[in-house]
Amino acid sequence: MTTDFDILIAGGGLNGPTLALALAGAGMSVAVVDPRPADARASEAFDGRAYALAVASQRLLKALGLWGDLAGKCQPIHQVKASQGQPGEGAAPFFLHFDSAEIEEGPVGFMLEDRFLYRALLAAMEGQVTHMPGVSVIGQQVGAALVTADLSDGRRITARLLIGADGRGSGVAERAGIKRRGWDYGQTALVAAIDHDLPHEGIAHQYFMATGPLAILPLPGNRSSVVWSETDANASAIKALPDGEFLQVLRPRFGDFLGGISLAGQRFSYPLSLSLAESYAAPRVALVGDAAHGVHPIAGQGLNLGLRDVAALAQTLVEAARRGEDIGAGDVLERYQQWRRFDATSLALGMDAVNHIFASDNPLLGGLRGVGMGAVTALPGLRRRFMRQAAGLSVDPMPRLLAGQPL
C-alpha cells in the first residue's frame, strides 16, 4: 500500500524538525506540519529567548550536522552555582557548585538562542523534509497499515506513523485517546534577557526562593537570560509593570554581582504546570517532547528531555525499518515507550519534588536544604554524578545520536 510519507510530524517547534532531520537522514520520507507561518520565529533580531542545551543535546545536533554553524553563536556554561536566597540577602552560605573542569566532556552545557537554533533547523529541512507551514492537523483516522491526517487547508495526508510534537495541549494525543495527568504549580515564569556591566564568566546561577526559583543563565557577551518563577498573583502584577519598574523589582533578587543591569529584548511569561501523558504511543501514533511530558523549568531540562525522546524514537524507527518491520506497529512503538517513559517521568517528578521542597519557607527545612547542597558540593564523587546527569550523560541505554554517533 502506498502512502504519501513514511512519517508525518505534527508540530514545527524544535523537537519536530530535529526528529524529521534524523529520520530523513536515514532515508525516510518525512513531512512536518507546522501551524505557524515559516517566518514566525525566523527573525534575526534578538528577543531574549534561549535554551540551556545539555552536552548530550549538543552531541545530537553535531551528529545531525547542525552544530558547526551554531558553535560560534552559543555560550558555554563552565560552572553552575545553586543556593537558597531571599530578595536583598544574596546567596545562602551553603550552596551547590558544579565546575566543568571536573568532567572530561568539557562545558556543563551551552546556552543557545531560539532564533539561531530554529533558523538552523529550517535551513536544514530544505531539500530533505517536506515542510508545511501555516497548516495544522485537525483530524486523524487510523487504519491497519496507515494513518490518515486531515489538515486545516483541506488536504488529506497518509503516513505509516503520525508523531505528535505539538506541545502540552497535543491534539494528536487527544484524538488518539491518550489522557494526561498533572497539576498547576500556581507559578508563572517571567523570562527576560539582561545586559550587565561585568562579565559572567560562563557561570549559571540558580536561586531557590519561597515564591519560586530564579535562574540567571549566561549568554554571549555581558548578557544573561533570566527565568524568574513567581506565584501567579505576584507574576501578574510584575508582568504589568513598565520596564523600569520591572527592573526595580528584579534588582534585589538579581543582586549586584554583575554590576548594573538593564533590559535587553522582550519580556515573556508563561504559566507553570506538570503535564504527563499516560502513554507515549497509540496505534500508529507516537509522542515526543511536551506532548509527552511538560515539566517545570527549574533545571532547564524541558528541551533536553524532548531531544532525548527524539534520539530514542529515531533510533527505534530506523532500526525497525532496517529489519523490515512496520514502523507504525504497536510492538515497535512499545520499545520506544519503554526506553523513554521511566527516564522522562522520574526526571519530571524529581523536578516537581525539588520545586515543592524549596518552595517552603520553613526555617528548619531551609537549614536542611542548605546542608544538603553543601554536602553534595563537598563530596566529589556525588558532585560529578549530578553533573553528568545534568549534562545528559547518564541516560542508559544511551541513544546513538546523544553519543554523537550517526544512526
Side-chain angles (χ1 to χ4, degrees):
M1 181 178 294
T2 60
T3 58
D4 295 313
F5 300 96
D6 293 321
I7 307 283
L8 176 61
I9 299 175
L14 298 176
N15 292 309
T18 304
L19 177 58
L21 290 170
L23 295 171
M28 294 186 184
S29 59
V30 188
V32 174
V33 174
D34 185 355
R36 289 166 295 192
D39 59 352
R41 285 168 53 194
S43 170
E44 296 188 6
F46 176 80
D47 66 11
R49 291 181 294 179
Y51 306 99
L53 290 175
V55 173
S57 298
Q58 177 262 340
R59 289 178 174 178
L60 179 151
L61 295 175
K62 187 174 182 179
L64 295 180
L66 298 171
W67 191 249
D69 292 335
L70 295 173
K73 298 171 181 174
C74 70
Q75 168 61 53
I77 301 174
H78 299 298
Q79 298 181 53
V80 177
K81 295 181 178 180
S83 72
Q84 299 181 89
Q86 293 295 332
E89 296 181 6
F94 293 106
F95 63 93
L96 186 62
H97 183 203
F98 295 151
D99 191 327
S100 63
E102 296 187 61
I103 58 175
E104 57 273 16
E105 286 81 7
V108 177
F110 303 85
M111 288 298 299
L112 182 64
E113 291 176 41
D114 177 89
R115 57 176 173 153
F116 296 137
L117 180 53
Y118 183 69
R119 290 202 333 251
L121 291 169
L122 275 183
M125 282 196 293
E126 291 184 14
Q128 292 193 73
V129 174
T130 299
H131 184 211
M132 304 179 189
V135 180
S136 303
V137 175
I138 59 173
Q140 64 205 53
Q141 300 85 40
V142 174
L146 54 82
V147 57
T148 301
D150 298 308
L151 306 186
S152 58
D153 63 0
R155 282 182 289 177
R156 304 193 87 189
I157 300 292
T158 58
R160 302 185 191 281
L161 178 65
L162 172 62
I163 296 172
D166 48 347
R168 297 183 184 220
S170 171
V172 169
E174 183 179 358
R175 288 186 292 270
I178 298 175
K179 297 180 180 179
R180 309 186 75 85
R181 296 191 180 188
W183 44 84
D184 194 314
Y185 286 116
Q187 295 176 330
T188 297
L190 302 166
V191 181
I194 300 295
D195 285 324
H196 39 78
D197 293 339
L198 303 177
H200 48 57
E201 308 295 348
I203 302 173
H205 297 266
Q206 180 93 48
Y207 297 108
F208 294 101
M209 297 180 287
T211 54
L214 169 69
I216 302 172
L217 308 168
L219 295 174
N222 284 11
R223 179 175 282 176
S224 293
S225 173
V226 170
V227 183
W228 173 15
S229 300
E230 277 283 352
T231 63
D232 288 339
N234 287 352
S236 179
I238 295 168
K239 178 184 176 182
L241 295 173
D243 289 351
E245 294 180 33
F246 173 86
L247 282 172
Q248 290 177 14
V249 178
L250 175 62
R251 279 192 181 98
R253 294 160 173 80
F254 192 99
D256 59 3
F257 69 103
L258 292 176
I261 62 173
S262 59
L263 275 173
Q266 304 173 45
R267 289 190 274 151
F268 302 91
S269 68
Y270 53 93
L272 301 181
S273 63
L274 179 70
S275 177
L276 300 175
E278 292 187 353
S279 175
Y280 289 7
R284 306 240 161 237
V285 168
L287 306 179
V288 297
D290 282 0
H293 40 69
V295 302
H296 196 288
I298 198 167
Q301 288 297 318
L303 177 58
N304 295 305
L305 269 180
L307 294 178
R308 291 188 197 182
D309 297 341
V310 165
L313 182 55
Q315 185 169 326
T316 300
L317 297 178
V318 169
E319 288 178 348
R322 288 171 179 167
R323 288 192 292 263
E325 296 179 273
D326 178 356
I327 59 173
D331 57 342
V332 172
L333 300 181
E334 181 59 26
R335 288 175 217 153
Y336 161 65
Q337 173 160 259
Q338 290 183 1
W339 196 348
R340 287 299 307 137
R341 194 176 180 193
F342 177 78
D343 171 60
T345 302
S346 58
L347 196 151
L349 294 177
M351 289 189 286
D352 176 76
V354 169
N355 184 55
H356 279 95
I357 289 170
F358 280 92
S360 172
D361 55 3
N362 184 303
L364 176 60
L365 188 56
L368 292 174
R369 292 189 299 248
V371 170
M373 287 193 287
V376 172
T377 298
L379 297 171
L382 185 58
R383 187 172 64 246
R384 284 193 290 271
R385 180 179 174 184
F386 272 95
M387 289 175 64
R388 292 184 62 81
Q389 187 171 21
L393 301 172
S394 300
V395 179
D396 185 27
M398 175 72 78
R400 285 196 290 270
L401 288 174
L402 294 184
Q405 300 169 1
L407 290 173

